[in-house]
Amino acid sequence: MSEASAPHAADRRELTAAQRNAVAELLRVSPVADELGRRFVRAGHELHLVGGSVRDALLGRLGDDLDFCTDAHPDETLRIIKGWAESIWETGREFGTIGAQRDGLRLEITTFRAESYDQVSRNPVVVYGTSLDEDLKRRDFTINAMAVSLPDHRFTDPHGGLDDLSAKVIRTPSTPGESFGDDPLRMLRAARFAAQLRFAVHSDVHLAMTEMAADLDRITAERIRDEFTKLLCGADPITGLRLLVDTGLAERFLPELTGLKLEIDEHAQHKDVYEHTLTVVENAVSYEEDGCDFILRMAALLHDAGKPATKAVGSDGRVSFHHHEVVGARLTKARMKAMRYPKEVTAKVTALVALHLRFYGYGRGEWTDSAVRRYVADAGDLLPRLHKLTRSDCTTRNRRKAAQLAADYDALEDRIARIEAEEDLARVRPDLDGNAIMELLGVPPGPVVGRAWKHLKEQRLEHGPLDRDAAEAELLRWARTENLLPE
């Protein structure tokens, strides 16, 4: 490290700790990494642990996925690892990457690159580089532009990544304009790393993100989706989301979020619906039990997406957003489809948005048992998430009101538990199946059976379980009113 890039005295102790973390982490993977490095050296090539692997080693959080770079081209890499790797895959070959597995570690070995965009293409143009320095310079951020050579463990940090890691700041190796011009997705990645690592974005980077936000339009929806998902699942998604809105990036692919800044909520309890939404996301994170629940976080983010389109001001000056959950569900489905999320994930998030207001009709327990059954049946396997989303949505600063809402929801959950103990609420079905319906009515499979099944399910929701005789009597009564049986 040059004298110019040496850390300030106050930082030396922290950097020493980071270096100790790196030694401990690298010792864990050294048997495989060093052995692989020796194979490349014997073949006349270089091999370096690089990028996120070095960053995470310094942070003491290196996983089992290791990234390497080399001057060897993919065909040469294959020859070097064949017979040594336990398995090999070539799915990233077009980007110069060969994958391998050894002793429980997943290894990705990539030829030095100098990839960039042609300012028109929506995918990177891959050009092989010729040196480690060239490869590090083309990387997104200084904290990802460090390398450890193998097997000699020589540390290379030409852009001050170690200093930035200590300062918890995100900078680019080249100018931000050059870096983002090469790959506009890096702007979104900056926000993602801010969310994942709880780092700040350097002012120059923030300015370039703002000025170049429209360049994100050159990136495919799938690549944007993947980065955004990582951001929302970060340790501090709120920081990342604020960056997206403040720089104008959100407007390029998630305008519903930016639109919330324009709306004051109906209770005038928050500065705006946008701030309320960020609080709901933060609350939802606190309810997670085992890592990121993307479906819950996305539902929290979009639960009020329908408010701008449903805003109305009454004669008394009060603001309302009637049926915003219905409009919000429609907007959520359309936005997630545009971002290429899987249909199953989209359906679950959309359903939670549609259901998030249902509880507010519960009041002080005025719901009938039928209403409780419908609440559970409509939520289905999303009920645990709906509980969390509904509780997260309570952000009032009025302590008495917050306590009352929490008590009301406690009462609803207790009531659901009581009814579940008496009935199988998880699988509300008619008391007669399709075969019994066909036998009693003397009809073949078809629309009539479906209509009868639906009617019996409504009876089940309304009145609870019926015994066999009562269910058969109800079916016959319904069939006569539908003129399906002789009087």
Side-chain angles (χ1 to χ4, degrees):
M1 191 183 304
S2 68
E3 187 64 29
S5 63
H8 296 295
D11 296 330
R12 290 184 188 279
R13 189 159 41 192
E14 185 175 355
L15 290 180
T16 300
Q19 290 165 332
R20 284 201 302 269
N21 285 334
V23 170
E25 295 292 283
L26 292 174
L27 283 175
R28 179 175 66 83
V29 301
S30 280
V32 171
D34 289 350
E35 186 178 344
L36 182 61
R38 285 190 290 270
R39 292 180 72 89
F40 273 81
V41 169
R42 284 197 299 268
H45 292 290
E46 305 172 26
L47 186 72
H48 312 274
L49 190 69
V50 73
S53 292
V54 178
R55 179 199 70 224
D56 288 345
L58 288 162
L59 292 173
R61 45 179 268 181
L62 182 63
D64 295 331
D65 294 338
L66 306 181
D67 295 325
F68 301 88
C69 66
T70 178
D71 59 337
H73 285 202
D75 286 343
E76 297 167 278
T77 294
L78 283 170
R79 282 195 293 270
I80 293 170
I81 66 175
K82 185 171 285 190
W84 175 82
E86 295 163 358
S87 61
I88 296 173
W89 55 94
E90 301 181 47
T91 51
R93 186 189 181 102
E94 65 177 310
F95 299 108
T97 300
I98 300 297
Q101 182 166 321
R102 173 84 178 193
D103 292 350
L105 297 175
R106 287 173 56 89
L107 321 171
E108 289 201 341
I109 307 161
T110 303
T111 305
F112 291 152
R113 292 190 299 194
E115 72 181 26
S116 65
Y117 278 73
D118 59 10
Q119 310 302 314
V120 176
S121 170
R122 289 164 67 83
N123 287 302
V125 177
V126 176
V127 178
Y128 293 146
T130 58
S131 70
L132 175 62
D133 284 346
E134 183 182 12
D135 183 272
L136 294 179
K137 184 177 181 180
R138 58 151 286 278
R139 292 183 177 266
D140 52 6
F141 306 111
T142 59
I143 59 173
N144 297 330
M146 298 177 281
V148 175
S149 301
L150 300 167
D152 61 348
H153 293 188
R154 176 171 47 86
F155 180 67
T156 302
D157 179 23
H159 304 288
L162 192 59
D163 289 352
D164 289 340
L165 199 66
S166 175
K168 298 184 177 181
V169 64
I170 297 170
R171 288 191 309 115
T172 54
S174 57
T175 68
E178 290 174 327
S179 181
F180 298 156
D182 282 345
D183 184 353
L185 187 67
R186 289 172 175 171
M187 295 184 286
L188 187 51
R189 284 170 63 83
R192 188 252 285 188
F193 281 119
Q196 285 184 326
L197 302 175
R198 301 181 187 273
F199 280 19
V201 169
H202 191 276
S203 58
D204 290 345
V205 173
H206 192 288
L207 178 61
M209 290 167 68
T210 304
E211 292 178 343
M212 301 177 67
D215 286 8
L216 193 65
D217 296 350
R218 301 192 343 241
I219 304 301
T220 62
E222 290 82 1
R223 295 184 74 210
I224 291 174
R225 173 202 64 204
D226 292 346
E227 283 298 327
F228 176 73
T229 300
K230 293 173 185 176
L231 182 157
L232 193 59
C233 278
D236 181 17
I238 307 306
T239 291
L241 292 169
R242 287 192 187 280
L243 264 173
L244 294 182
V245 172
D246 293 347
T247 59
L249 285 168
E251 189 65 29
R252 314 314 303 186
F253 69 95
L254 193 62
E256 291 80 7
L257 178 58
T258 304
L260 295 177
K261 293 197 74 170
L262 306 177
E263 306 302 333
I264 304 299
D265 88 334
E266 66 266 46
H267 304 297
Q269 295 166 336
H270 312 280
K271 183 170 69 176
D272 52 35
V273 179
Y274 169 71
E275 291 295 337
H276 163 72
T277 294
L278 295 183
T279 301
V280 174
V281 173
E282 194 170 33
N283 290 345
V285 172
S286 72
Y287 281 113
E288 291 173 342
E289 298 159 5
D290 186 23
C292 174
D293 183 344
F294 172 77
I295 291 171
L296 175 62
R297 292 192 188 194
M298 192 67 168
L301 183 66
L302 295 176
H303 78 286
D304 277 347
K307 280 192 170 179
T310 57
K311 179 181 178 180
V313 181
S315 57
D316 59 356
R318 290 182 62 84
V319 177
S320 65
F321 303 98
H322 294 307
H323 305 301
H324 76 265
E325 74 281 13
V326 177
V327 175
R330 186 172 69 247
L331 292 172
T332 296
K333 182 178 181 180
R335 178 55 54 198
M336 293 188 71
K337 180 180 179 181
M339 294 178 71
R340 304 290 194 271
Y341 278 102
K343 290 182 180 179
E344 180 182 355
V345 173
T346 298
K348 289 180 178 180
V349 175
T350 300
L352 286 170
V353 172
L355 290 168
H356 84 274
L357 274 187
R358 182 79 68 86
F359 159 71
Y360 291 95
Y362 184 71
R364 300 292 183 270
E366 293 92 343
W367 279 8
T368 62
D369 283 356
S370 171
V372 175
R373 291 189 196 98
R374 291 177 190 278
Y375 186 77
V376 174
D378 289 347
D381 61 3
L382 292 173
L383 185 62
R385 285 189 175 107
L386 182 57
H387 288 332
K388 295 173 183 177
L389 177 60
T390 302
R391 290 184 182 277
S392 297
D393 195 24
C394 177
T395 63
T396 176
R397 295 189 181 95
N398 184 317
R399 291 185 179 181
R400 182 181 301 174
K401 184 173 183 179
Q404 186 61 63
L405 285 170
D408 289 348
Y409 207 84
D410 287 343
L412 175 58
E413 289 199 53
D414 289 344
R415 194 167 171 192
I416 289 172
R418 174 182 63 76
I419 297 176
E420 280 181 330
E422 301 168 358
E423 310 170 19
D424 186 6
L425 283 184
R427 296 182 298 174
V428 174
R429 290 185 174 86
D431 298 286
L432 300 176
D433 62 18
N435 290 328
I437 291 171
M438 289 187 286
E439 181 180 347
L440 279 168
L441 299 185
V443 296
V448 170
V449 179
R451 287 164 51 205
W453 191 93
K454 184 176 181 180
H455 172 75
L456 289 176
K457 182 177 180 180
E458 284 296 313
Q459 293 301 305
R460 173 74 168 76
L461 288 169
E462 189 66 30
H463 303 294
L466 302 176
D467 61 31
R468 178 78 182 200
D469 289 343
E472 290 183 357
E474 176 58 32
L475 175 64
L476 294 174
R477 185 201 65 76
W478 172 84
R480 290 190 185 95
T481 63
E482 296 292 313
N483 296 316
L484 298 174
L485 293 176
E487 293 294 337

